[in-house]
Amino acid sequence: MKILIQIGLSLILPAMVQAYDLGPVKLHGFLSQGYILSSKNNVHTDNSTSGGSFKFNEIGLNGTYQWRDSVVVSGQIISRDLGDEGNNNLYIDYLQADIQFNDWFGTRLGRFKTPLGFYNQTRDIDLARPTVFLPQSIYIEAYRPLVASTTGGLVYGNLHNDNIGDIDYELFYGVPGEDDDSCFARAMELMLSGNNLTMYARNIYGGKLQVTPPINGLRFGLTLTYGDTDLNYTDKLSGLPSRLRGSSEPMAIGSIEYMVNDFTFASEYMLNRQRSTLKIGGTTLHKDRLTKAEGFYIGGSYRITAKLETTLYWENFYRDKDDKHGKKLAATGVGVEVQGWHRAWVLAVRYDITDWWLVKAEGQLIDGAAITSPHYNQDLSELKQHWNSLALKTTFNF
Amino acid sequence: MVIAHPKTTVREISQHRLRQLYLNRSKKWADGSSVHLTVFVDQPATTVFITKHLGKSTAQFKRYWKQQLFSGKGIPPEYFKTLQELLQYIRTTRGAIGFIDCDAPPKGVAVIRLTE
């Protein structure tokens, strides 16, 4: 079934250059195919170092229906594959009823994209950005199952003041996604030396504030997100039921973006305060242990011609800012020092062949292995500090 | 020249309000009915409006609306390549609004005065 959908879309999408109307429902969609190659360390897939991997695609179908003047019902289904993640299973990316009462108050009910930083809500939409991947210092692929979408309720609105500019807010509460087969779950199963790991995402809530001052092209953002997730598993050594409970208290992201002429400058900073409690059987191994993951990137994109855009940015990430060299991580026995940090220079090029077809290339010079997963690099002693990656991607959309 | 569906009761609109509509910050007319945005591509007035009033290039504007669409936040404008298609849509779609380079008001649409 999945293969038929991919083949069907790949045949019809190139012929479609605008939205397809199914009566009152407007349909849009996209189809992306990528390739990842890396040196020394596997990233996002299990064989990126062995000739590269094509297990990297997204297919999406989006429908919007306006019911009278007050309610817009919209939904998006996605089939994606990134290494062992997704495996082109179909899932609901969002399905929501959007009711806007006035400019300063509206609500979305159902499953909606989680507001997190400037770019999380379009993280699976290749055509929405100039690079292949979002900066991993902020938008870590491993966390995607928990932060891509939320089922619950969200309120939003816009407030305007001639001196301050526009203030856009989103406040939300709900339950995040959880995927027991995700690479995050499998990686945690390895790190915890457990079996039969299941995720129970208890809640996620928070808010995003965006300020657009009366300076064309400039905007600032602040996101605060809280959430609790349990990982329940069987400890391999003892055979006892065990649980790792984690809480974000909060994940804070500060953002700035400035567009002037053909140049876009962007920078974001993330601090994720996480508390964790680990129990094996009835024994608490650690309680309320605090780690502070920290990430930052700065860079810009420049549109060279109407169709050609290039991006350069530098990013830095620590799994725990109080353990920048990974020594505490190595001492726990669940990781190695080089997994403590990630630094990278990233250069990307995007070429829009037509309005509905684009190609991209992205190279990364990387220092540190914090973004690698033990699921794809099971012998952690083989992880190397200095390595590179190359990603290619093409996307059709209508 | 800002034009709208002939039954639109709005007779003037500020540049700020027009900006709010085309950046998806506002989706309704004062009477609560939905606004349906249009863009006449490849005309100078469109480029001037997008760059001067929205602070974006044409490519940034298109990408902005794709971000809105695929994150479930909004319905993008209808894009038209000919004036006839644009006018036909505005004449027949309640709540539709657009802007064109034109000295004389086209027949069958309401003209809305653009204020500071």
Side-chain angles (χ1 to χ4, degrees):
Chain A
M1 177 63 176
K2 293 180 283 190
I3 301 297
L4 286 175
I5 292 171
Q6 282 178 273
I7 293 172
L9 283 172
S10 67
L11 290 174
I12 64 173
L13 276 178
M16 306 175 83
V17 296
Q18 55 188 354
Y20 182 70
D21 286 351
L22 195 67
V25 178
K26 292 190 181 299
L27 295 180
H28 295 262
F30 55 87
L31 168 66
S32 299
Q33 177 61 57
Y35 169 78
I36 304 172
L37 178 69
S38 64
S39 66
K40 303 175 188 173
N41 301 328
N42 284 316
V43 65
H44 304 309
T45 71
D46 59 359
N47 56 354
S48 58
T49 57
S50 310
S53 174
F54 285 96
K55 293 186 74 179
F56 181 23
N57 63 66
E58 299 103 25
I59 307 165
L61 191 62
N62 168 302
T64 307
Y65 172 62
Q66 175 129 26
W67 184 62
R68 301 186 180 175
D69 287 319
S70 49
V71 182
V72 175
V73 178
S74 59
Q76 183 159 280
I77 55 172
I78 284 186
S79 165
R80 66 184 290 272
D81 189 27
L82 182 60
D84 291 337
E85 188 97 3
N87 293 317
N88 286 121
N89 292 314
L90 280 175
Y91 68 92
I92 297 173
D93 190 31
Y94 65 83
L95 181 60
Q96 61 189 22
D98 187 329
I99 308 166
Q100 190 181 32
F101 298 95
N102 50 51
D103 289 354
W104 52 268
F105 185 73
T107 183
R108 294 187 193 113
L109 302 172
R111 187 170 179 83
F112 50 86
K113 300 301 293 182
T114 308
L116 195 71
F118 274 166
Y119 309 115
N120 187 66
Q121 289 165 311
T122 53
R123 67 182 298 146
D124 293 325
I125 315 302
D126 182 68
L127 57 98
R129 61 179 173 268
T131 55
V132 175
F133 292 102
L134 284 173
Q136 293 299 288
S137 50
I138 308 291
Y139 303 98
I140 303 161
E141 277 299 322
Y143 295 166
R144 188 194 164 281
L146 291 171
V147 299
S149 304
T150 296
T151 300
L154 176 151
V155 295
Y156 69 93
N158 170 263
L159 303 158
H160 178 77
N161 175 279
D162 285 342
N163 294 316
I164 296 172
D166 285 286
I167 299 172
D168 296 281
Y169 73 90
E170 292 174 279
L171 302 171
F172 68 98
Y173 183 90
V175 177
E178 52 189 39
D179 183 355
D180 299 338
D181 288 328
S182 66
C183 290
F184 171 75
R186 294 182 208 173
M188 291 305 299
E189 202 172 60
L190 285 168
M191 292 175 67
L192 294 167
S193 294
N195 287 318
N196 306 314
L197 186 142
T198 59
M199 294 172 61
Y200 173 49
R202 288 152 64 214
N203 57 42
I204 183 169
Y205 57 97
K208 176 181 165 186
L209 197 68
Q210 175 176 295
V211 177
T212 309
I215 299 171
N216 263 348
L218 180 62
R219 61 171 176 154
F220 301 95
L222 175 65
T223 309
L224 297 175
T225 306
Y226 300 78
D228 295 315
T229 300
D230 287 347
L231 302 178
N232 300 301
Y233 64 99
T234 304
D235 180 63
K236 274 185 187 173
L237 193 61
S238 64
L240 293 172
S242 307
R243 185 182 71 200
L244 176 69
R245 171 164 289 176
S247 304
S248 282
E249 301 184 346
M251 176 189 283
I253 300 177
S255 312
I256 178 172
E257 183 187 83
Y258 182 49
M259 292 185 184
V260 56
N261 297 323
D262 295 316
F263 180 72
T264 302
F265 163 85
S267 181
E268 295 187 282
Y269 172 82
M270 180 270 294
L271 181 63
N272 187 8
R273 290 174 54 90
Q274 294 173 300
R275 286 198 187 274
S276 64
T277 297
L278 178 61
K279 285 186 177 179
I280 295 181
T283 305
T284 301
L285 266 64
H286 69 251
K287 183 177 169 59
D288 294 334
R289 175 181 288 172
L290 178 65
T291 57
K292 295 175 231 173
E294 182 184 54
F296 169 76
Y297 75 86
I298 184 167
S301 298
Y302 180 67
R303 187 166 290 277
I304 301 169
T305 70
K307 293 177 181 285
L308 183 64
E309 185 176 10
T310 185
T311 301
L312 176 67
Y313 70 85
W314 178 85
E315 65 176 348
N316 189 83
F317 172 75
Y318 296 115
R319 289 169 71 124
D320 184 351
K321 67 194 285 285
D322 293 333
D323 182 29
K324 290 180 178 174
H325 300 289
K327 294 190 185 303
K328 290 183 191 175
L329 173 65
T332 63
V334 299
V336 294
E337 287 183 14
V338 76
Q339 289 178 295
W341 71 91
H342 165 82
R343 279 186 279 275
W345 280 101
V346 180
L347 177 66
V349 174
R350 166 176 169 156
Y351 186 72
D352 287 78
I353 300 168
T354 67
D355 272 350
W356 47 267
W357 183 21
L358 66 91
V359 292
K360 293 181 187 176
E362 177 174 303
Q364 300 201 9
L365 299 177
I366 304 170
D367 174 356
I371 67 164
T372 63
S373 170
H375 178 66
Y376 299 130
N377 303 275
Q378 299 208 5
D379 184 353
L380 298 181
S381 68
E382 292 292 312
L383 285 173
K384 304 299 182 207
Q385 180 178 346
H386 297 285
W387 55 295
N388 311 312
S389 73
L390 171 69
L392 305 172
K393 206 164 189 193
T394 187
T395 296
F396 300 98
N397 79 97
F398 69 97
Chain B
M1 180 183 295
V2 180
I3 58 175
H5 185 269
K7 291 197 175 172
T8 302
T9 55
V10 173
R11 285 295 167 256
E12 58 182 40
I13 190 169
S14 68
Q15 291 185 23
H16 166 71
R17 177 90 176 114
L18 198 60
R19 175 189 165 95
Q20 297 296 76
L21 292 176
Y22 275 88
L23 289 179
N24 200 34
R25 293 200 177 101
S26 182
K27 302 174 189 177
K28 296 188 186 299
W29 296 103
D31 63 1
S33 61
S34 295
V35 174
H36 296 274
L37 301 170
T38 67
V39 172
F40 183 17
V41 298
D42 299 332
Q43 69 163 355
T46 300
T47 306
V48 169
F49 174 71
I50 291 173
T51 54
K52 183 180 171 190
H53 296 289
L54 303 185
K56 297 183 187 295
S57 67
T58 306
Q60 289 168 345
F61 176 76
K62 286 183 180 177
R63 187 179 297 176
Y64 175 84
W65 271 105
K66 287 188 177 175
Q67 292 168 345
Q68 298 293 301
L69 167 68
F70 287 108
S71 60
K73 289 185 172 183
I75 302 173
E78 294 285 342
Y79 293 89
F80 296 95
K81 292 190 175 180
T82 70
L83 182 61
Q84 286 66 34
E85 289 173 342
L86 172 74
L87 292 176
Q88 176 63 17
Y89 179 86
I90 289 182
R91 287 172 185 138
T92 56
T93 305
R94 198 79 189 255
I97 185 172
F99 49 92
I100 56 174
D101 274 329
C102 204
D103 293 326
K107 291 181 182 174
V109 297
V111 176
I112 302 179
R113 193 169 75 91
L114 185 62
T115 64
E116 289 295 319

